[in-house]
Amino acid sequence: MWWQIVRRLLIFLVSALVASIVVFVLLTVVGDPARTALGTNATPQALAEMRLRMGLDRPITTQYLSWIGGMAHGDFGTSFVTQLPIGPQIGERLLVTLWLVAGGMVVALVVALPLGTLAALWHRRVAGWILSGLSQLGIAVPAFLAGILLIAAFAVELGWLPSGSYVVPATDPIGFLKHMVLPWASLGLVQGAVLARYVRSAVLDEMGQDYLRTARAKGMTLWRAVIRHGLRNASIPVLTVLGVQMITVLIGAVVVERVFVIPGIGSFLVDSVARQDRLAVQGIVVTIVVISLAVSFLVDTAYALIDPRLRRR
Amino acid sequence: MTAFMTPPTMPPMPEPALLTNPSAQRRNPLLLVGGVIVALIVATALVSFFWTPFPTILTDTDHLASPPGAGGHLLGTDLYGRDIASWLMVGAQTTLYVGIVAVGIAAVIGTPLGILAGMVRPAWSEFLMRITDIWLAFPALLMALIFATVFGASITSAMTAIGIASVPSFVRVVRSGTIVVMNADYVLAARVAGRRSPAIALKHVLPNIAGLVIVQCSVSYAIAILAEAALSYLGLAGGPTTPSWGLMLFQGQAVIAGDPLLVIWPGVAIGLAVLGFNLFGDGLRDRYDPRLSGR
Amino acid sequence: MTPFAAPAGRPVPLAPETSAPAVRVRDLSISAGSIPLVHDVSFDVGAGQRVGIIGASGSGKTLTCMAVAGLLPPELAATGSVRVDGFGPDVLTASERELATMRGRLTGVVFQEPMTALNPTMRVDRQIMEAMRLHGGRAPRALDRAAAEAILREVGISDPRRIARSFPHELSGGQRQRVVIAIALANRPRLLICDEPTTALDVTVQATVLQLIDAQTSAAGSALLFISHDLAVVASVCDELLVMWQGTIVERGPVTTVLENPTHPHTRQLLADADVSLRTESARPGSGVP
């Protein structure tokens, strides 16, 4: 088992490294970063000066190594557009985004687990149709669109909740929650509808398994057997979906932060793109990609913890 | 809402109970409903080339942000007095255009790569899969943001990025289909008879996975629509005068308190388009080769 | 509907506090929608008695036993009555909650497929302890664990401590079936139901598992309802025989009688299909292994 985790960890590290090279090549090697920073009207002299400042005169490998080496201890460089260090901003804003993603996933799970399980146990056919419809709807309505519609309903029409902006949880926990309800709902509800369908079919699969009949033969009611024995086994296929959804929510958050004016890493990214701030974009994209790869790694590892059959060797 | 991340690593979406019934499968309501929605959108886009109720550049200053029906504007006008129905129609053009180019790029690159991955020795196949895993960490929206930084924000850079980001899901689907075909008796016989790999790929593999590719096109199309909507909402696709549903959402949100209809119309259009292509894809998956539909 | 005579020459059963039959099945019919699957089946299994049901696949024998065990799928409709000794309501009409108090305490089931009958993500001892706790109340964990290991030793596991801590996938088919038997017998039920318990096992393991069922039901004093399509297997374990064909019982009687004088054509067919040497071999494998 340990060897498997180490192997996956190695794959994760190599993947992260390859991804960072790809990002670096796209954002530093392709085109002319100095011109991007200065605009099309820049004089040749200013351009040359900027190249020197950006360190573009050095060999590409040196540039890459100094960038990745800096990141290793949190130094993402200083933006040539805003003149601000990038690392601290990423750290600060990532925290906001993690609140957003975590809350969205909690909403999705809270919606999907009971809904999917109930749908498997009750009125299979009708519940199956309803869940299929809901999850088709969930796929068709992107998070940011859901966010705009939720604002129209709950912030504008009913006036129950604020339509945007962010409150730091440490200073005003209640305000924080009030401001996060709609973003969480927009990321989580639709994702939950999609997840519920997977939960239902995973639980149905487990209900057809012999071991569940054994559990009932021991003296468990169907419900108790499903909850005690079925859910753990059903969580194995659901986990894959959950990992993919977490990445979907992270990417969806990029736009949702824009909808709700939340200063997370997504709005930092969009602002940096609009400012043509290559170095900042480079750092943010690498951060997001590495998080995605880490989620896949954690999901793979979690399999081994849940399913003893995978633990061998 | 699965937005910009293809779900290729997900297990296949469990089919609705309806489809497990063989007699219902023949009727295939998904294909019908999806097909009708897709046809409707395509027809709208085609008509908009020749005719829209009003020119999209016309700003009717007598009817600013007017309700449906006022001044002959079927669905009303936006903040600048532009006709919403006309914008929706031309927005369908943008959506379909971006989708066609993006899916085209993905299919043209992804299909040969997938066949290759399915035919080479397992070690190489494994290597290619690792690469697609990394590739998948760059979903369409992220790729498009990178492209917008490097090449500038435009429809061209958006659809190229979306296309490139959609390649790995094609590779995965095509690879697993190819492996099934490669293990079929007739291919084994052809290999024993000494047929070369390129010939097998063209003569046996490609025709047999064509259905899979078409299904994946439909699924990717839906994802491309979502990514395009998000990008134009962020103002990173076309300019502010290029009609697109995402841009309409963005402009509508500014006046959401006054007129929520301005976000409802483009919202419904986006949802309907994605739903249509997804249902169409599900229906096609049913119809084409049920052997491979399980993926 | 004459109840079967108590078999002669067997040790006196231990468990039954009453002389009522362990199971009394009357006019049991099972159908899926309009399709009849089992029709008008009636029989008794006396306390400590061993009854075999034999028939081809699709003859309704498994459904009959699942009805007795209270494990019939909800989409099937059953009429008639099934009474299990010690359980108040009729099994066919009882609620899932009521049935749960019967299953595992009054009835135990050994299933055909030991590979899938155990929960793959739960250690063996917990699966056995669960069977005991569901009916025996809460005991200290260590005691339960010791009891689980004792049961494993009883079912012929040579290294119970290690097996108890194993996951099902780490065991062989024979070992798994022993664990399933241990779970079924954990509460010394009035009735043990075995649904083709050796069919999925290696030929070499089959005989020892049969001996184990034989010995353990004697030791627990349980009655036995044993399903098989294999005449030789049934003959070696059971006293009485029911032959099912197309959802009905077509022949019944003591094993030797049925085997020597089959009256129904289907029984003759089954006999003809089976090894001829079987007719002469009606002796059982001793009275089991301790």
Side-chain angles (χ1 to χ4, degrees), chain A residues 136 138-139 141 187 197 244 259, chain B residues 1-2 9 14 150 253 278 282:
Chain A
Q136 283 288 0
I139 297 173
V141 178
L187 282 168
R197 194 169 158 193
V244 174
V259 173
Chain B
M1 156 119 177
T2 334
T9 47
V150 177
Q253 197 192 346
N278 271 332
D282 280 359

Side-chain angles (χ1 to χ4, degrees), chain B residues 177-195 200 204-205 208 291:
Chain B
T178 303
I179 288 173
V180 173
V181 177
M182 288 301 282
N183 287 323
D185 289 342
Y186 58 89
V187 174
L188 293 177
R191 286 161 79 183
V192 169
R195 269 209 179 245
I200 291 175
H204 295 297
V205 178
N208 279 296
R291 271 181 309 132

Side-chain angles (χ1 to χ4, degrees), chain A residues 241-257:
Chain A
V241 183
L242 215 59
V244 174
Q245 286 201 314
M246 202 143 144
I247 297 167
T248 306
V249 167
L250 178 66
I251 299 298
V254 171
V255 198
V256 167
E257 284 171 12

Side-chain angles (χ1 to χ4, degrees), chain A residues 11 23 26 132 136 138-145 156 186-187 190 197-198 201 240 244 248 251 258-259 269 273 276, chain B residues 1-2 4-5 9-11 13-14 16 130 137-139 145 148-150 226 233-234 249 253 257 267 271 274 278 282:
Chain A
I11 291 175
V23 173
L26 280 173
S132 293
Q136 283 288 0
I139 297 173
V141 178
F144 76 95
L145 175 55
V156 175
S186 59
L187 282 168
V190 233
R197 194 169 158 193
Y198 284 100
S201 87
T240 320
V244 174
T248 306
I251 299 298
R258 246 322 159 53
V259 173
L269 175 60
V273 171
Q276 303 266 288
Chain B
M1 156 119 177
T2 334
F4 330 103
M5 179 79 195
T9 47
M10 288 198 186
M13 190 52 119
R130 292 271 166 253
F138 293 88
L145 289 171
T149 314
V150 177
L226 286 171
Y233 173 82
L234 294 174
L249 267 184
Q253 197 192 346
V274 177
N278 271 332
D282 280 359

Side-chain angles (χ1 to χ4, degrees), chain B residues 6 8 110 131-133 135-136 163-173:
Chain B
T6 335
I131 295 194
T132 57
D133 281 347
W135 204 328
L136 277 170
I164 290 176
S166 307
V167 168
S169 32
F170 272 88
V171 176
R172 278 171 175 252
V173 169

Side-chain angles (χ1 to χ4, degrees), chain C residues 239-241 251-263 271:
Chain C
D239 316 312
E240 306 285 337
L241 195 55
E251 183 147 8
R252 64 174 78 214
V255 170
T256 44
T257 315
V258 173
L259 294 187
E260 277 158 19
N261 299 308
T263 53
L271 280 171

